[in-house]
Amino acid sequence: MTNLRHPCLSGLARNPAAPEDVLVRIAAHRAGRHGMARRREPLPDAVVEALLAHDDGDVFAGLRAERISPAMRRRIATHPDPAIRDARADFVRQLVERGSTAVLGDLEEVYGRPRSSLVAAPDPRLRAAVAGCWYDRPAEVQTALLADPDPAVRAAATQHRQPGVPAEWRDRCVADPAVRANVAWYVPLTWDQFTELMRTGDEDIQRAVAANPHLTADMVAQLLDVDDPLVRVAVAQSRHVDDATRDRLYALVEARRADGDIDAKVALSWSFTEPDWMRAAPLDERLSYLDSPHTIFRRVLAGSRDLPEEAWLRLDNDPELSVRRTAARRPDAPPDVLERLVRAHGDVFHHRPLLVEHPNFPRHTLRTFVDEPIPNVRYVALQDPELPLPALQELAAAEEPFLRRGGARHPNITDALLDRLLSDPDPTVADDAAANPALRPARMHRILTEADL
């Protein structure tokens, strides 16, 4: 009996270059089926038949309709085993029952009705699910959701800024305990609505109100003495407070953080609010924040596109890395600024586009990053698709698994290097090596043979 854990099989099943016969064989192993569920490409009918032969409902729970041919969808729909036949539908229904985020197309597929009908379904959990993922719903649908008798549906309908709350519905929403904490974040408030929300004494509602971008100066003044770090930071970012008041509010929060207050730490480190009003402010007003002692103001300023050269020079040398990275994303960022920044700190790979993908980045220097001492900076060298073999070998032999994983995924990898990484002691490295499209079919078949498949 083969092991249930086999990273090469999971990676091989994800490999977009894996031929049909490899996928058919790999369907016999649980690790291969796990990888198959993560595969992005459509599955040939023969592969689906092989998956059906192993009665693994977990795989079919993750298979969306567009990855399977109509013939195979019909085959699954009439399968005698309900664990197979209903796997995908049960998965989507569980999302609905748990109140988790679903995909609108999946809801239409599983419940067999268009979204316009689902939004009036008898089950309030289904109506809430539709409200939570139908982001561009028409105004009349939004109105119906706001009037829904179930509070969870109304809450889902107001969770996001769009499609918004019509002016004639705002009084009702402010008075509704199910939604007022949602709408307090973004709905333009009258004085009476503002007062009603603050009168609740609810901490979450007060924090939402403080972050509302539509507050008037009088409303902001009413928040100045609220002893809550998150409220104080949000108020400090308002355009209606002067520099002295802003500095005082930040100082109060920083003192609380120094005393170990968790809320103060969150308020100063988590960007739950930003002075977004700055983005549309006149240039002279924005430039007045170039010397702000508060990082968030300089960071928002660095997101501008029309600053004079001397301002960019200051921002490119700002003491805060987040400000420098924001400034570097402007269209005309100089090549030397981009290279210096990435060479010192690496790139932020969850933020696209990467700085190394900037049109002005000197990509011919990428391969030289392999000589840098900091591991995450060395990783940047892997963004060169033609990275020379000696450099690739060096990274693939690094102590850090994430560098070896990057080497295992590289398109310029050789057969010998791939073979070495397939035996890496870290299973994630072996998994990525097996998923590399450069892996030759003969080596794929050897992996299957070694796994007794």
Side-chain angles (χ1 to χ4, degrees), residues 11-53:
L12 185 55
R14 291 189 294 111
N15 194 318
E20 182 177 303
D21 63 325
V22 166
L23 296 177
V24 167
R25 289 175 64 185
I26 212 170
H29 198 290
R30 183 182 296 182
R33 295 194 295 274
H34 175 266
M36 204 89 70
R38 298 165 59 198
R39 188 179 174 86
R40 297 179 179 180
E41 295 77 19
L43 293 175
D45 287 1
V47 176
V48 179
E49 288 284 6
L51 291 171
L52 285 169

Side-chain angles (χ1 to χ4, degrees), residues 324-406:
R324 302 198 299 277
R325 279 183 165 150
T326 301
R329 293 188 176 277
R330 65 189 185 273
D332 58 347
D336 63 308
V337 167
L338 291 161
E339 182 185 354
R340 183 176 72 242
L341 182 58
V342 177
R343 195 175 289 279
H345 303 285
D347 214 334
V348 182
F349 286 88
H350 63 269
H351 188 174
R352 299 287 175 164
L354 302 177
L355 288 177
V356 298
E357 295 169 340
H358 192 292
N360 292 349
F361 189 91
R363 291 187 63 83
H364 66 278
T365 67
L366 283 174
R367 60 192 59 187
T368 68
F369 281 65
V370 75
D371 299 321
E372 294 295 331
I374 303 174
N376 70 308
V377 176
R378 297 178 70 202
Y379 186 87
V380 174
L382 292 163
Q383 301 307 303
D384 181 353
E386 298 179 354
L387 188 67
L389 181 58
L392 186 54
Q393 289 173 323
E394 181 179 342
L395 293 172
E399 179 182 351
E400 298 81 7
F402 79 92
L403 285 174
R404 303 200 303 277
R405 288 189 69 185

Side-chain angles (χ1 to χ4, degrees), residues 214-385:
H214 305 291
L215 298 185
T216 65
D218 289 342
M219 295 174 184
V220 171
Q222 292 295 311
L223 296 169
L224 288 175
D225 295 323
V226 176
D227 186 18
D228 181 324
L230 282 91
V231 170
R232 281 177 168 161
V233 168
V235 173
Q237 293 175 7
S238 170
R239 72 185 310 161
H240 298 303
V241 299
D242 56 33
D243 290 342
T245 301
R246 181 173 292 122
D247 293 344
R248 178 179 66 83
L249 292 170
Y250 270 112
L252 289 169
V253 178
E254 286 164 356
R256 290 269 294 269
R257 179 173 63 177
D259 289 339
D261 188 291
I262 296 299
D263 284 343
K265 183 177 180 180
V266 169
L268 291 170
S269 60
W270 176 45
S271 298
F272 76 105
T273 61
E274 286 189 345
D276 289 329
W277 54 267
M278 280 182 60
R279 305 183 200 282
L283 177 59
D284 288 348
E285 183 178 359
R286 279 180 282 138
L287 287 173
S288 69
Y289 291 93
L290 188 58
D291 294 314
S292 173
H294 312 298
T295 300
I296 187 66
F297 288 88
R298 304 196 308 278
R299 186 164 74 235
V300 172
L301 174 63
S304 301
R305 295 293 180 262
D306 58 347
L307 304 184
E309 188 59 35
E310 57 270 23
W312 287 126
L313 181 63
R314 296 269 298 281
L315 293 168
D316 286 336
N317 292 280
D318 193 274
E320 288 290 336
L321 176 59
S322 63
V323 175
R324 302 198 299 277
R325 279 183 165 150
T326 301
R329 293 188 176 277
R330 65 189 185 273
D332 58 347
D336 63 308
V337 167
L338 291 161
E339 182 185 354
R340 183 176 72 242
L341 182 58
V342 177
R343 195 175 289 279
H345 303 285
D347 214 334
V348 182
F349 286 88
H350 63 269
H351 188 174
R352 299 287 175 164
L354 302 177
L355 288 177
V356 298
E357 295 169 340
H358 192 292
N360 292 349
F361 189 91
R363 291 187 63 83
H364 66 278
T365 67
L366 283 174
R367 60 192 59 187
T368 68
F369 281 65
V370 75
D371 299 321
E372 294 295 331
I374 303 174
N376 70 308
V377 176
R378 297 178 70 202
Y379 186 87
V380 174
L382 292 163
Q383 301 307 303
D384 181 353

Side-chain angles (χ1 to χ4, degrees), residues 106-284:
D106 288 346
L107 296 176
E108 292 180 312
E109 175 193 344
V110 167
Y111 290 92
R113 298 161 61 184
R115 61 196 69 180
S116 57
S117 173
L118 290 176
V119 80
D123 187 346
R125 295 173 299 182
L126 180 53
R127 300 198 301 274
V130 176
C133 63
W134 188 0
Y135 304 113
D136 59 348
R137 53 187 177 268
E140 61 272 18
V141 172
Q142 176 68 345
T143 299
L145 291 169
L146 293 175
D148 196 281
D150 191 279
V153 177
R154 301 196 302 276
T158 55
Q159 185 175 4
H160 304 289
R161 294 176 185 268
Q162 298 300 328
V165 176
E168 63 272 19
W169 278 85
R170 290 173 188 164
D171 278 338
R172 181 169 173 175
C173 287
V174 165
D176 185 350
V179 306
R180 57 190 175 199
N182 287 343
V183 301
W185 284 95
Y186 58 83
V187 166
L189 301 171
T190 65
W191 179 260
D192 288 343
Q193 291 164 350
F194 168 83
T195 302
E196 182 175 352
L197 288 170
M198 294 302 296
R199 192 181 294 128
T200 65
D202 185 292
E203 183 180 74
D204 291 335
I205 291 176
Q206 290 184 344
R207 291 173 175 179
V209 169
N212 190 307
H214 305 291
L215 298 185
T216 65
D218 289 342
M219 295 174 184
V220 171
Q222 292 295 311
L223 296 169
L224 288 175
D225 295 323
V226 176
D227 186 18
D228 181 324
L230 282 91
V231 170
R232 281 177 168 161
V233 168
V235 173
Q237 293 175 7
S238 170
R239 72 185 310 161
H240 298 303
V241 299
D242 56 33
D243 290 342
T245 301
R246 181 173 292 122
D247 293 344
R248 178 179 66 83
L249 292 170
Y250 270 112
L252 289 169
V253 178
E254 286 164 356
R256 290 269 294 269
R257 179 173 63 177
D259 289 339
D261 188 291
I262 296 299
D263 284 343
K265 183 177 180 180
V266 169
L268 291 170
S269 60
W270 176 45
S271 298
F272 76 105
T273 61
E274 286 189 345
D276 289 329
W277 54 267
M278 280 182 60
R279 305 183 200 282
L283 177 59
D284 288 348

